[in-house]
């Protein structure tokens, strides 16, 4: 089976500090992709960052970086220099052959609240 | 605005009524997806279209649910004989190709909230 696990409770982070959101996954596919999405209270899922299973380097997109540890099957999101607008739910998702290459399997999400 | 558009954004309906949601994808995207999200959970896949063809359906899509994309552009999701368990947010998404890279990701709309009373 293919499974995404996000188990951290809600997190409070001070503005301008960094925060790490944990994501572990379970798959037997050799080829897969990992995504992080942000969901503010408005409901829209906003794409943040992507990591392919064969990518040699960890992905980075502005203040977002992905700490990809393939052997441990973890893909943690790091948000640097947090801003008040970063307060949202964050979802880790995976695409793989087992679940269907056209589907994303999502975790339950991590709640982040940035405090001034 | 060239993002994925969904309407209505909110719908309250009585149990047993039918509801229909509409999704307008990003114009150049030929793939369209429907997901459902309940409180405290991540989105769950419902169905996928490539152009007008419905190519995949989740077992979550019971026979009371039907999705169409008649001309390969906008899509509708209809729920017949709604039940309280259908209360959720229904997210539409689109993409140009299968989600396989930074450039081929899935873009979501703001969702349509359904409350069945």
């Amino acid at each position: 089976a293919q499974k995404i696990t996000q188990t951290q409770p809600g997190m409070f982070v001070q503005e301008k500090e960094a925060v790490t959101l944990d994501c572990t996954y379970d798959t037997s596919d050799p080829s897969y992709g990992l995504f992080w999405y942000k969901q503010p209270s408005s409901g829209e899922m906003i794409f943040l960052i992507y990591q392919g299973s064969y990518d040699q380097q960890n992905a980075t997109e502005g203040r977002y970086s992905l700490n990809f540890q393939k052997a441990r099957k973890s893909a943690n999101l790091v948000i640097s220099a947090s801003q008040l607008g970063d307060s949202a739910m964050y979802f880790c998702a995976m695409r793989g052959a087992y679940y269907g290459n056209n589907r994303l399997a999502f975790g339950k999400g991590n709640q982040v609240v940035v405090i001034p | 605005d060239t993002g994925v558009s969904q309407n209505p954004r909110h719908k309250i309906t009585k149990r047993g009524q039918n509801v229909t949601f509409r999704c307008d994808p990003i114009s150049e995207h030929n793939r369209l997806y429907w997901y459902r999200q309940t409180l405290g959970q991540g989105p769950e896949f419902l169905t996928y279209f490539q152009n007008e063809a419905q190519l995949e359906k989740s077992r979550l899509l019971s026979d009371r649910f039907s999705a169409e994309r008649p001309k390969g552009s906008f899509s509708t999701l209809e729920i017949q004989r709604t039940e309280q368990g259908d209360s959720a947010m229904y997210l539409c998404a689109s993409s140009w190709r299968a989600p396989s890279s930074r450039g081929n990701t899935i873009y979501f709309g703001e969702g349509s909230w359904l409350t069945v009373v």
Side-chain angles (χ1 to χ4, degrees):
Chain A
Q2 197 162 290
K3 183 179 176 182
I4 297 283
T5 302
Q6 295 178 263
T7 56
Q8 285 167 305
M11 302 176 68
F12 290 88
V13 59
Q14 201 76 38
E15 195 177 6
K16 300 182 184 178
E17 303 221 330
V19 59
T20 298
L21 306 180
D22 296 340
C23 171
T24 58
Y25 58 91
D26 186 18
T27 183
S28 55
D29 292 331
S31 176
Y32 52 89
L34 296 156
F35 301 77
W36 276 92
Y37 282 85
K38 171 185 177 182
Q39 188 177 44
S41 56
S42 62
E44 182 183 2
M45 298 285 285
I46 301 168
F47 168 75
L48 296 178
I49 196 166
Y50 169 85
Q51 180 83 44
S53 59
Y54 291 122
D55 292 344
Q56 295 297 311
Q57 293 186 326
N58 286 344
T60 60
E61 293 280 352
R63 294 186 299 110
Y64 304 106
S65 61
L66 204 152
N67 183 4
F68 181 47
Q69 298 187 42
K70 192 172 181 177
R72 296 180 60 184
K73 294 187 176 178
S74 75
N76 298 340
L77 176 71
V78 180
I79 307 173
S80 62
S82 297
Q83 302 173 355
L84 295 178
D86 294 334
S87 295
M89 284 290 291
Y90 289 82
F91 291 93
C92 180
M94 179 167 63
R95 183 271 312 163
Y98 178 88
Y99 197 49
N101 283 317
N102 296 302
R103 306 183 181 194
L104 294 182
F106 285 85
K108 291 188 176 183
N110 300 98
Q111 177 76 53
V112 172
V113 176
V114 180
I115 53 178
Chain B
D1 186 6
T2 57
V4 178
S5 176
Q6 293 187 243
N7 66 83
R9 292 292 319 282
H10 298 89
K11 179 74 176 178
I12 300 174
T13 190
K14 291 184 178 179
R15 188 174 53 185
Q17 298 293 305
N18 299 344
V19 296
T20 299
F21 298 111
R22 175 179 169 126
C23 171
D24 288 273
I26 294 172
S27 59
E28 62 268 26
H29 287 178
N30 60 4
R31 295 169 181 242
L32 186 145
Y33 314 82
W34 285 98
Y35 283 75
R36 182 176 72 184
Q37 185 178 19
T38 53
L39 284 176
Q41 303 294 320
E44 297 173 292
F45 173 84
L46 291 178
T47 190
Y48 150 67
F49 290 85
Q50 186 165 339
N51 299 312
E52 66 276 8
Q54 188 174 20
L55 298 183
E56 289 186 39
K57 289 197 292 186
S58 162
R59 58 181 172 79
L60 294 175
L61 212 66
S62 75
D63 56 4
R64 295 185 298 105
F65 288 69
S66 62
E68 294 183 345
R69 194 183 183 197
K71 298 182 179 179
S73 56
F74 74 92
S75 174
T76 57
L77 176 68
E78 182 183 18
I79 308 173
Q80 296 181 328
R81 305 182 302 282
T82 52
E83 302 173 356
Q84 287 186 323
D86 297 332
S87 295
M89 181 164 67
Y90 292 85
L91 286 159
C92 179
S94 69
S95 69
W96 175 236
R97 294 180 180 175
S100 59
S101 69
R102 169 64 177 92
N104 291 325
T105 190
I106 293 177
Y107 294 90
F108 285 83
E110 291 184 312
S112 293
W113 290 93
L114 173 65
T115 302
V116 181
V117 297

